C-alpha cells in the first residue's frame, strides 16, 4: 500500500473519530483521571489498548494464557539475566549463551529458540527487534534492570501482536515517569557490586509539574551503567565480560480534570551502547569437563560493539462513552559489529569452529590452532575472523480504536487496529586472516569492506487486527482475526563493489496471511474459570528464501483459580505445524549458507503448563508472609515428517524425532519470607536433559545438554523508609553445567556469583 493511501486512510480514520466525538458531546462522563494518579495507573492509560494486559490482577480477564511479572517481582533477585526472570513463567524454552542474559534465546511451547526469531519481542507495545520482518533472528534485547514489567502472551491472545504468532509474544514495560504528586520529584538510585569486578548503577529521577491549565507535564531521566570482567578465563589473558551504557528520557503531557477529554502524550528516547568481549567459540567436551570456564586463545580478538537508539511517540485519548484511541509512532536504529572467529584452516580446507570442536581428533591441526599453545605456530591465514558489520532500521505507526457497547444482555469491547511497518538489514561484512604464533594472533591479511557479504534485506508490512471481547452471563468470548500483507525484498551487490553501483541479484516476494483466533472463558465461580482457545500460528519467511511460511494451528484448554492467598493455573496445549521452518544462522553453528531457510514439514508440540502460588503465612495469620510458588512445564515436541537438510540442528530427520533444545520437564520453586522491613527469597530451578540435534532414543554424549538444578538466594533489609541493603547469590551451590553446543562447542553457565549493594528510593 503506497504512502498516499496510508495518509488517506489515516485522515479518514480521524474524520470518523471526530464525527463520533461530536455525537458524544454533552454525554461525556466526569474525568476519572486526576493529578493524584500513580505511575502504574498512568502507564496503563498510555498503553491500555496496545497490550493484552499490563497488570497481574488483570490476568483473569484475558482469554488466552497470559502472564505478568511486575517491578517488585523483577527486583527481588536484582538479576540482570532475563533468562532467570522468565523461569517464573511456564511454557518457555530458554537456551543460555554467555551467562549474563545479554543475548537470550527464547522459544515458547516448542518453537525454535535461536535469537528469539520465533516470538514477537516488544518494548512498550512496539516491535523492538532490529528488523522483525527482514531479519527476525537479529538480536537486541532491552536490559532487564530498567524494565518495570514483563508480559508474556500465548494462545489466541498472541494474534493481537505479530508478525510471529506461532508461539507467542514478550512485551516489556519501560520505567514509568515517577509520580509522587504534582511538584514532587521521585526516583531511585541502585548501586551494586559483586564478583568478577561486576558493578551496576541504575538511576531514575523525574516527576510531574502542573505547568498548564489542562495538562500536567512529566519529565524523567534514567541511566543504567553495567560492567563486568567476565567469569570465563581467556588462556592469553584479558577480559571476557561486558560494558553497557543505557540512557532513557521521557517527556509527557497528561490531562487534568479541567480538560475536555482524558488524554496523554508521551515521547520516549532511548540510547544504549554495548562493548562485550564475547565469542561464538566454546570448548570441546573433554576440555569443558577439565576446565569449563576456559576460553581458547583463538578467541582473543573477538568483540561485539552495538549502538542502539529508539524513539517513540504515544498518544491516548478517551472520548468518553466507551470510545478511545491509542496511536504510536516509532523508529529504532541498531548498528553492530561483532568481530569474531569464523573458521579454521586444516589440511588445506577451511572448517567451521563447530566442526572442529565436535571432532578435534579429525581436525587436530585446526584444534591446535584454536588452542594456541606456547611454541605452536600455525600457517599464515589459518584463522579467519569475520567482521559481522550490520546496520538495522525499523520504523512504523500503529493505532487501535476501542469501542464499548451493550447489546441485549451482552457487553462488547471491540478493538480495531492497524500497523504500517518498514524495516531493513544492511550487511557489509569482511574477513580478516590471522596466524597463531606462540599464543598470539597475528594479522596476515586484511579484507576489504563488503568483500564477504554485501546485501540489503527489506520488508514493508501492513497488519490489521479486529477483536471483540463479549461478556455474557458466565461467558467471555473473544473472537479475533489478524491480517498481514508483507512485501520482502533482497538486493545483493558485488563483493568487490563497496560503493554499490549496481545490483548483481535481486529477489522479491509478497506474503499475505489471515490469522483467526477464538478464546473463551467460563466463570464457574468468582474465583474459578475454565479457559480454552484456538488460533492460527505464522512465522514470515526471510527475504530471498525459497522456504514456505511457517504455519500451525494452536490449541489450549485449562483451568484458573484466583483467591486472596492462593492462585492456580493449569493449561494443556497442542501446536500442530503444517510446516516448521529452520533458519541457518552463525549462532546455530553454521555449516550451511547463513540466511538459508529449510522446510521441516509437519511437526507438533504439546504439553502441560501449571502455576501454583500460596501465601501460607498470611493465610494462617502468622504475622509474617511466607509466599510459596511452583512453576512447571511438560513438553513433547517432535517431527512428523522424514527429510534431510543442511541445517545443523536438524540434519537427517526421521518422523518421530524430537526437536532440539526442548526439555521435557522444567520446574521452578520459590520460597519467600517477608516481614515489615526485611524479606528473603530462595529459588530452585530444574531443567531436564535435552538434545542439541534432532533425534530419538538415548541422546549421544556430544549432543546431550546437561540437566541442572540451580539455587538462587537473595535478601533485603530496609534501613529507613527510603534506603535498603541488598545481597544475592546466584548458583548458590556453584553447579557446573553445559548450557548447550551452540553457537559452537560446549558453553558454561554462570558460576556462583555474589552481588550486594544499596537501594535508594525516593
Amino acid at each position: 500500500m503506497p504512502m498516499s493511501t496510508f495518509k488517506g486512510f489515516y485522515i479518514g480514520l480521524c474524520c470518523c473519530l471526530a464525527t463520533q466525538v461530536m455525537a458524544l458531546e454533552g454525554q461525556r462522563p466526569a474525568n476519572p483521571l486526576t493529578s493524584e494518579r500513580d505511575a502504574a495507573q498512568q502507564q496503563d492509560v498510555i498503553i491500555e489498548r496496545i497490550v493484552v494486559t499490563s497488570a497481574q490482577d488483570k490476568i483473569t480477564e484475558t482469554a488466552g494464557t497470559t502472564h505478568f511479572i511486575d517491578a517488585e517481582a523483577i527486583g527481588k533477585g536484582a538479576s540482570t539475566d532475563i533468562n532467570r526472570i522468565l523461569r517464573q513463567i511456564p511454557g518457555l524454552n530458554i537456551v543460555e549463551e554467555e551467562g549474563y542474559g545479554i543475548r537470550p534465546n527464547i522459544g515458547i511451547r516448542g518453537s525454535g529458540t535461536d535469537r528469539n526469531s520465533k516470538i514477537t519481542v516488544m518494548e512498550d507495545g512496539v516491535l523492538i527487534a532490529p528488523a522483525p520482518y527482514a531479519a527476525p533472528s537479529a538480536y537486541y534485547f532491552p536490559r532487564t534492570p530498567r524494565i518495570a514489567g514483563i508480559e508474556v502472551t500465548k494462545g489466541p491472545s498472541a494474534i493481537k501482536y505479530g508478525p510471529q504468532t506461532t508461539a507467542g509474544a514478550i512485551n516489556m514495560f519501560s520505567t514509568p515517569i515517577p509520580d509522587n504528586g504534582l511538584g514532587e520529584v521521585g526516583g531511585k538510585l541502585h548501586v551494586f557490586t559483586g564478583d568478577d569486578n561486576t558493578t551496576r548503577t541504575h538511576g531514575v529521577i523525574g516527576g510531574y509539574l502542573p505547568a498548564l491549565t489542562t495538562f500536567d507535564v512529566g519529565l524523567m531521566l534514567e541511566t543504567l551503567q553495567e560492567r563486568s570482567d567476565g567469569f570465563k578465563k581467556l588462556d592469553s589473558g584479558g577480559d571476557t565480560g561486558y560494558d553497557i551504557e543505557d540512557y532513557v528520557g521521557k517527556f509527557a503531557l497528561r490531562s487534568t480534570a479541567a480538560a475536555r477529554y482524558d488524554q496523554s502524550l508521551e515521547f520516549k528516547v532511548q540510547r544504549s551502547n554495548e562493548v562485550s568481549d564475547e565469542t561464538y567459540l566454546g570448548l570441546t567436551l573433554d576440555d569443558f569437563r577439565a576446565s569449563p570456564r576456559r576460553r581458547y586463545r583463538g578467541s582473543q580478538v573477538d568483540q561485539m560493539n552495538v549502538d542502539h537508539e529508539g524513539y517513540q511517540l504515544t498518544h491516548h485519548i478517551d472520548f468518553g462513552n466507551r470510545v478511545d484511541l491509542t496511536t504510536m509512532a516509532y523508529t529504532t536504529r541498531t548498528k553492530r559489529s561483532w568481530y569474531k572467529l569464523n573458521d579454521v584452516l586444516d589440511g588445506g580446507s577451511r572448517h567451521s569452529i563447530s566442526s572442529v570442536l565436535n571432532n578435534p581428533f579429525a581436525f587436530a591441526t585446526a584444534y591446535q590452532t584454536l588452542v594456541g599453545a606456547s611454541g605452536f605456530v600455525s600457517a599464515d591465514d589459518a584463522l579467519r575472523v569475520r567482521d559481522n558489520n550490520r546496520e538495522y532500521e525499523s520504523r512504523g505507526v500503529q493505532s487501535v480504536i476501542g469501542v464499548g457497547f451493550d447489546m441485549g444482555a451482552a457487553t462488547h469491547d471491540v478493538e480495531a487496529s492497524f500497523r504500517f511497518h518498514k524495516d531493513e538489514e544492511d550487511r557489509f561484512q569482511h574477513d580478516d586472516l590471522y596466524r597463531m604464533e606462540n599464543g598470539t594472533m597475528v594479522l596476515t591479511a586484511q579484507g576489504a569492506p563488503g568483500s564477504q557479504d554485501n546485501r540489503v534485506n527489506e520488508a514493508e508490512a501492513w497488519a490489521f487486527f479486529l477483536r471483540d471481547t463479549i461478556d455474557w452471563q458466565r461467558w467471555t468470548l473473544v473472537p479475533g482475526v489478524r491480517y498481514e500483507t508483507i512485501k520482502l525484498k533482497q538486493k545483493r551487490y558485488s563483493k568487490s563493489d563497496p560503493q554499490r553501483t549496481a545490483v548483481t541479484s535481486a529477489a522479491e516476494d509478497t506474503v499475505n496471511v489471515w490469522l483467526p483466533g477464538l478464546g473463551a472463558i467460563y466463570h464457574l465461580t468468582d474465583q474459578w474459570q475454565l479457559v480454552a482457545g484456538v488460533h492460527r500460528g505464522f512465522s514470515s519467511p526471510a527475504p530471498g528464501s525459497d522456504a514456505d511460511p511457517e504455519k500451525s494451528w494452536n490449541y489450549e484448554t485449562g483451568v484458573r483459580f484466583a483467591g486472596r492467598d492462593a492462585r492456580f493455573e493449569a493449561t494443556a496445549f497442542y501446536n500442530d505445524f503444517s510446516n516448521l521452518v529452520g533458519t541457518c544462522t552463525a549462532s546455530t553453528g553454521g555449516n550451511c549458507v547463513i540466511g538459508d531457510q529449510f522446510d521441516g514439514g509437519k511437526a507438533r508440540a504439546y504439553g502441560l503448563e501449571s502455576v501454583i502460588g500460596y501465601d501460607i503465612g498470611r493465610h494462617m495469620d502468622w504475622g509474617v508472609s511466607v509466599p510459596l510458588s511452583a512453576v512447571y512445564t511438560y513438553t513433547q515436541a517432535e517431527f512428523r515428517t522424514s527429510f534431510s537438510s543442511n541445517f545443523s540442528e536438524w540434519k537427517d530427520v526421521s518422523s518421530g524425532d524430537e526437536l532440539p533444545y526442548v526439555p521435557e520437564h522444567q520446574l521452578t520453586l520459590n520460597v519467600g519470607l517477608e516481614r515489615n522491613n526485611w524479606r528473603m527469597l530462595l529459588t530452585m530451578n530444574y531443567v531436564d536433559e535435552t538434545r542439541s540435534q534432532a533425534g530419538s532414543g538415548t541422546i549421544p554424549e556430544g549432543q546431550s545438554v546437561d540437566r541442572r538444578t540451580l539455587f538462587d538466594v537473595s535478601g533485603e533489609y530496609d534501613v529507613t523508609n527510603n534506603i535498603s541493603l541488598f545481597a544475592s547469590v546466584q548458583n548458590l551451590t556453584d553447579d557446573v553445567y553445559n548450557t548447550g553446543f551452540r553457537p559452537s562447542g560446549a558453553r558454561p553457565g554462570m558460576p556462583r556469583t555474589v552481588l550486594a549493594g544499596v537501594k535508594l528510593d525516593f
Side-chain angles (χ1 to χ4, degrees):
M1 186 179 294
M3 185 57 69
S4 59
T5 306
F6 160 67
K7 290 180 179 177
F9 173 83
Y10 197 69
I11 291 171
L13 179 63
C14 293
C15 291
C16 292
L17 286 169
T19 303
Q20 178 66 28
V21 170
M22 289 187 286
L24 294 172
E25 198 67 43
Q27 304 176 27
R28 180 175 174 272
N31 191 335
L33 303 178
T34 68
S35 298
E36 284 75 32
R37 294 172 302 183
D38 62 23
Q41 290 173 317
Q42 173 70 2
Q43 187 80 348
D44 285 348
V45 170
I46 292 175
I47 58 175
E48 179 181 4
R49 287 295 183 184
I50 298 296
V51 301
V52 172
T53 186
S54 58
Q56 177 64 39
D57 58 6
K58 295 183 179 180
I59 295 299
T60 55
E61 302 173 12
T62 65
T65 308
T66 303
H67 301 269
F68 189 84
I69 304 176
D70 60 20
E72 181 181 0
I74 293 173
K76 280 185 177 180
S79 176
T80 63
D81 187 351
I82 187 66
N83 298 321
R84 275 180 151 77
I85 294 170
L86 291 179
R87 297 291 186 191
Q88 301 295 331
I89 296 177
L92 274 60
N93 313 120
I94 298 171
V95 180
E96 299 177 32
E97 187 167 321
E98 82 295 311
Y100 294 106
I102 299 174
R103 280 165 284 278
N105 298 274
I106 305 167
I108 298 176
R109 292 180 172 176
S111 73
T113 57
D114 181 42
R115 297 295 185 231
N116 316 314
S117 60
K118 294 300 181 68
I119 64 175
T120 299
V121 180
M122 297 167 288
E123 181 176 327
D124 293 334
V126 165
L127 298 173
I128 201 62
Y133 285 86
S137 62
Y139 45 91
Y140 162 79
F141 207 89
R143 292 302 293 151
T144 305
R146 67 173 185 82
I147 297 303
I150 302 172
E151 175 202 69
V152 176
T153 304
K154 299 168 282 184
S157 295
I159 65 170
K160 180 166 185 172
Y161 305 127
Q164 321 297 344
T165 64
T166 295
I170 297 178
N171 186 26
M172 287 155 287
F173 299 82
S174 64
T175 303
I177 298 175
D179 194 0
N180 293 344
L182 289 179
E184 297 292 329
V185 175
K188 61 184 178 182
L189 179 63
H190 295 179
V191 180
F192 300 96
T193 186
D195 290 333
D196 303 312
N197 289 322
T198 299
T199 60
R200 187 202 321 161
T201 302
H202 183 207
V204 177
I205 188 168
Y208 279 89
L209 300 173
L212 302 171
T213 303
T214 56
F215 287 94
D216 299 332
V217 176
L219 295 169
M220 186 197 78
L221 296 175
E222 178 181 24
T223 184
L224 174 64
Q225 307 287 321
E226 302 178 81
R227 74 161 311 279
S228 175
D229 289 347
F231 63 85
K232 297 175 187 174
K233 306 304 178 184
L234 192 56
D235 287 348
S236 55
D239 294 341
T240 60
Y242 62 93
D243 194 327
I244 297 176
E245 300 178 2
D246 206 332
Y247 303 91
V248 181
K250 289 187 177 183
F251 171 81
L253 298 174
R254 68 180 186 189
S255 58
T256 66
R260 187 177 183 183
Y261 299 108
D262 304 330
Q263 57 183 316
S264 60
L265 179 71
E266 181 178 283
F267 176 69
K268 180 182 76 172
V269 56
Q270 183 264 329
R271 300 195 68 176
S272 62
N273 172 265
E274 172 200 336
V275 178
S276 54
D277 300 303
E278 193 50 64
T279 181
Y280 274 10
L281 181 61
L283 300 169
T284 68
L285 199 53
D286 287 341
D287 287 341
F288 178 86
R289 289 167 176 162
S291 182
R293 289 151 198 163
R294 176 188 181 188
R295 256 181 61 175
Y296 302 134
R297 291 179 175 86
S299 66
Q300 62 189 259
V301 300
D302 290 12
Q303 186 177 84
M304 164 72 98
N305 286 270
V306 184
D307 290 306
H308 175 86
E309 61 182 50
Y311 305 88
Q312 179 177 338
L313 183 66
T314 304
H315 177 255
H316 174 90
I317 182 168
D318 188 339
F319 297 111
N321 203 30
R322 296 159 66 185
V323 178
D324 60 81
L325 172 68
T326 302
T327 303
M328 291 178 168
Y330 60 90
T331 182
T332 64
R333 298 184 184 92
T334 305
K335 183 178 181 180
R336 50 149 283 190
S337 173
W338 197 345
Y339 193 72
K340 65 181 187 296
L341 182 66
N342 189 76
D343 53 44
V344 194
L345 192 66
D346 190 292
S349 301
R350 295 200 172 275
H351 303 275
S352 69
I353 52 178
S354 59
S355 297
V356 175
L357 296 178
N358 289 340
N359 197 346
F361 299 105
F363 304 105
T365 300
Y367 172 70
Q368 285 182 302
T369 304
L370 290 178
V371 173
S374 178
F376 174 80
V377 179
S378 74
D380 284 353
D381 306 342
L383 297 161
R384 178 158 60 179
V385 179
R386 180 158 297 165
D387 182 5
N388 286 273
N389 180 36
R390 306 172 191 173
E391 293 187 22
Y392 303 90
E393 185 171 354
S394 175
R395 56 198 179 277
V397 60
Q398 58 191 47
S399 190
V400 56
I401 305 170
V403 179
F405 59 91
D406 297 331
M407 183 178 292
T411 299
H412 295 258
D413 184 6
V414 177
E415 292 181 336
S417 72
F418 81 93
R419 179 173 68 209
F420 174 73
H421 176 95
K422 294 183 71 174
D423 62 48
E424 69 174 36
E425 176 196 44
D426 187 333
R427 295 190 177 214
F428 196 63
Q429 305 178 172
H430 74 272
D431 291 335
D432 292 336
L433 301 174
Y434 290 79
R435 72 170 176 268
M436 182 66 72
E437 185 175 326
N438 293 315
T440 300
M441 292 174 61
V442 179
L443 183 67
T444 54
Q446 189 168 9
S451 57
Q452 188 277 321
D453 200 351
N454 189 5
R455 61 174 153 141
V456 176
N457 290 336
E458 299 177 83
E460 180 178 295
W462 281 90
F464 300 90
F465 174 70
L466 180 66
R467 181 175 73 175
D468 187 9
T469 301
I470 307 167
D471 289 309
W472 177 72
Q473 297 182 0
R474 292 183 177 274
W475 287 94
T476 298
L477 299 176
V478 188
V481 63
R482 182 178 191 85
Y483 173 73
E484 296 243 7
T485 177
I486 307 167
K487 183 180 291 185
L488 301 167
K489 297 180 180 180
Q490 184 182 88
K491 296 179 181 178
R492 291 182 178 268
Y493 303 88
S494 170
K495 295 177 182 179
S496 59
D497 180 18
Q499 303 303 318
R500 293 178 169 172
T501 56
V503 176
T504 58
S505 66
E508 185 172 329
D509 191 19
T510 299
V511 179
N512 300 291
V513 62
W514 289 93
L515 304 170
L518 173 64
I521 305 174
Y522 183 74
H523 302 266
L524 293 169
T525 68
D526 291 340
Q527 296 178 318
W528 285 95
Q529 300 176 338
L530 298 178
V531 296
V534 57
H535 79 279
R536 186 73 183 272
F538 166 78
S539 289
S540 176
S545 172
D546 293 327
D548 294 327
E550 181 173 286
K551 292 183 179 180
S552 64
W553 279 103
N554 307 325
Y555 310 87
E556 66 173 21
T557 185
V559 60
R560 295 193 296 223
F561 170 82
R564 187 181 77 94
D565 301 322
R567 63 187 179 97
F568 171 73
E569 178 179 323
T571 304
F573 65 89
Y574 185 93
N575 292 355
D576 188 10
F577 293 88
S578 58
N579 184 48
L580 186 70
V581 174
T583 302
C584 176
T585 64
S587 55
T588 56
N591 289 324
C592 47
V593 178
I594 304 301
D596 280 1
Q597 292 191 313
F598 304 92
D599 290 325
K602 294 182 179 180
R604 64 182 178 186
Y606 59 92
L608 176 69
E609 306 166 354
S610 64
V611 178
I612 184 169
Y614 176 51
D615 192 330
I616 187 174
R618 187 166 67 170
H619 184 77
M620 302 298 292
D621 198 22
W622 286 348
V624 60
S625 179
V626 187
L628 310 173
S629 66
V631 181
Y632 172 72
T633 303
Y634 168 78
T635 309
Q636 287 285 342
E638 61 188 27
F639 290 95
R640 302 177 67 189
T641 304
S642 300
F643 62 92
S644 295
S645 77
N646 292 326
F647 185 37
S648 59
E649 292 190 359
W650 293 356
K651 295 187 178 179
D652 297 323
V653 172
S654 298
S655 179
D657 281 354
E658 297 173 345
L659 271 64
Y661 290 106
V662 181
E664 185 174 1
H665 301 283
Q666 298 181 77
L667 175 65
T668 298
L669 301 176
N670 301 285
V671 179
L673 195 60
E674 304 174 4
R675 182 173 184 178
N676 298 329
N677 63 340
W678 59 270
R679 58 209 66 89
M680 297 183 65
L681 176 66
L682 175 65
T683 297
M684 184 217 78
N685 174 245
Y686 169 80
V687 179
D688 206 357
E689 176 190 30
T690 187
R691 61 180 70 247
S692 63
Q693 184 179 316
S696 58
T698 302
I699 304 176
E701 183 181 48
Q703 300 174 17
S704 175
V705 181
D706 296 344
R707 65 168 53 90
R708 59 174 178 75
T709 303
L710 301 180
F711 292 88
D712 297 340
V713 63
S714 62
E716 189 169 357
Y717 175 76
D718 299 330
V719 180
T720 69
N721 290 335
N722 303 103
I723 301 175
S724 61
L725 303 177
F726 177 88
S728 71
V729 184
Q730 296 182 353
N731 193 357
L732 182 65
T733 59
D734 201 21
D735 190 45
V736 176
Y737 62 99
N738 173 27
T739 64
F741 293 94
R742 75 179 197 206
S744 299
R747 306 176 72 87
M750 178 182 282
R752 179 167 52 226
T753 301
V754 178
L755 188 72
V758 179
K759 295 181 178 181
L760 169 63
D761 296 270
F762 57 94

